[in-house]
Amino acid sequence: QVQLVESGGGSVQAGGSLRLSCAASGDTIRTYCMGWFRQAPGKARQGVALISGVGTTSTANSVKGRFTISKDNAKNTLYLQMNSLKPEDTAMYYCAARSSDWCTWQVESYNYWGQGTQVTVSS
């Protein structure tokens, strides 16, 4: 099992940047697909960015060119660098892990979830 704890959320103005971190414990993230998901009030949870066990990344079209997912296996930590933030990026952001080293955008495929960190972007 893996436990996930997010940090780094906050309130920023449009155009600003934030870096989210997700510290994992209990197992190495090296063999998991790791992902960032977000959920705005009244909306379904959706994938933002994924990174496979070997480091292959995928990014949702809505954030492509602005958000970058990365991980540090030695620190067992996942990151999401968010630049050029927009008000529509406002949501609770969750870190998730899937017990496979390849990734899918299906939310229900992820076995482990963090508690979430709030990101609020004002115009």
Side-chain angles (χ1 to χ4, degrees):
Q1 287 201 3
V2 61
Q3 294 79 46
L4 305 171
V5 179
E6 303 97 333
S7 61
S11 297
V12 296
Q13 290 191 327
S17 298
L18 284 172
R19 189 194 196 201
L20 305 184
S21 297
C22 173
S25 60
D27 201 355
T28 175
I29 63 173
R30 193 184 304 271
T31 59
Y32 288 79
C33 168
M34 302 295 297
W36 288 100
F37 294 78
R38 66 186 182 186
Q39 187 168 19
K43 294 190 176 181
R45 192 169 297 188
Q46 59 180 206
V48 175
L50 310 174
I51 186 165
S52 72
V54 297
T56 302
T57 61
S58 299
T59 308
N61 288 336
S62 59
V63 303
K64 197 163 291 185
R66 300 188 297 121
F67 290 13
T68 303
I69 188 171
S70 63
K71 63 175 180 172
D72 186 330
N73 287 332
K75 294 184 178 179
N76 224 28
T77 302
L78 178 72
Y79 303 100
L80 185 67
Q81 178 66 44
M82 305 187 295
N83 298 329
S84 302
L85 282 159
K86 303 176 181 180
E88 51 263 44
D89 295 319
T90 294
M92 185 71 79
Y93 282 72
Y94 297 91
C95 168
R98 179 170 185 267
S99 299
S100 171
D101 61 1
W102 60 273
C103 293
T104 173
W105 289 105
Q106 291 182 323
V107 173
E108 58 271 20
S109 297
Y110 288 78
N111 312 85
Y112 307 102
W113 292 85
Q115 83 288 348
T117 186
Q118 178 68 38
V119 172
T120 303
V121 185
S122 58
S123 57

